[in-house]
Amino acid sequence: MNSNSQKLTPGQVILRHQAKAPVDVTSIANELGINVWEMVLPEGISGKIFKDPLNGGESGYSIGVNKSEWYLRKRFTLAHEIAHFILHRDQIGDELTDDAMYRSGLPTREEAQANRLAADILMPAHLILRLKASGCDSPSKMADALQVSEEAMKIRLSYL
Ligand SMILES: [Zn+2]
């Protein structure tokens, strides 16, 4: 991270990486000072964010995603953990672990906030509108372009 990017807010960092589809979610994490690892995690655990003074990024945190899960799933998990970092950093403690339903022990409201921000990171309105304008107008085509699951795309389109 250079001194220039440190002045950016998380929202500005995210926007910088939303210039084109698909959104480079790993670069967003890195620029926020978080290192990202594909890890062997127990079945049913999708990912976690944890204090990692030795191997973490400049923020002192790392995110681990379950390496055995599906690629699109890993992208959403990474975005969900980034959202916890931005929204709920004071509630992470040493480690926050999300199961396959994105339940970490935080209140349901916080999980819903994290899912909502994750969807907005991966599927920003301006990219959806640009895809539509270019003729990419079905949920499955948009999901392909944005590298998200069709299910996630349909949910995102429901409140566009
Ligand atoms: Zn969560």
Side-chain angles (χ1 to χ4, degrees):
M1 191 189 288
N2 59 42
S3 58
N4 217 16
S5 63
Q6 276 176 334
K7 295 183 191 124
L8 298 179
T9 65
Q12 289 169 325
V13 169
I14 291 166
L15 196 57
R16 268 164 52 115
H17 293 283
Q18 291 176 326
K20 60 179 175 55
V23 174
D24 183 351
V25 69
T26 302
S27 290
I28 291 173
N30 292 158
E31 203 169 321
L32 291 171
I34 306 165
N35 282 345
V36 179
W37 311 91
E38 297 216 354
M39 306 178 86
V40 177
L41 293 172
E43 195 181 333
I45 298 297
S46 285
K48 61 181 185 176
I49 181 161
F50 55 103
K51 282 193 181 143
D52 190 4
L54 225 52
N55 298 309
E58 290 190 15
S59 72
Y61 288 86
S62 281
I63 288 172
V65 296
N66 189 329
K67 67 185 292 183
S68 69
E69 290 190 340
W70 178 41
Y71 175 68
L72 300 181
R73 172 84 189 172
K74 286 189 271 198
R75 279 174 57 79
F76 197 91
T77 298
L78 176 51
H80 179 96
E81 301 306 328
I82 290 170
H84 277 317
F85 177 80
I86 293 170
L87 299 172
H88 312 126
R89 197 177 317 182
D90 57 344
Q91 295 171 72
I92 292 172
D94 288 337
E95 178 176 309
L96 194 64
T97 300
D98 271 290
D99 71 12
M101 301 290 289
Y102 297 121
R103 290 173 305 209
S104 67
L106 291 187
T108 307
R109 189 179 66 111
E110 273 76 354
E111 294 304 337
Q113 288 172 339
N115 283 331
R116 177 69 181 255
L117 179 53
D120 287 344
I121 289 171
L122 294 167
M123 299 168 278
H126 70 271
L127 284 183
I128 294 173
L129 296 174
R130 196 187 302 164
L131 287 168
K132 277 187 176 172
S134 71
C136 180
D137 52 4
S138 75
S140 70
K141 283 189 210 163
M142 283 186 200
D144 275 353
L146 290 165
Q147 291 186 16
V148 297
S149 71
E150 195 172 337
E151 185 191 1
M153 192 73 238
K154 284 177 175 165
I155 293 169
R156 178 68 185 88
L157 290 169
S158 72
Y159 61 88
L160 181 68

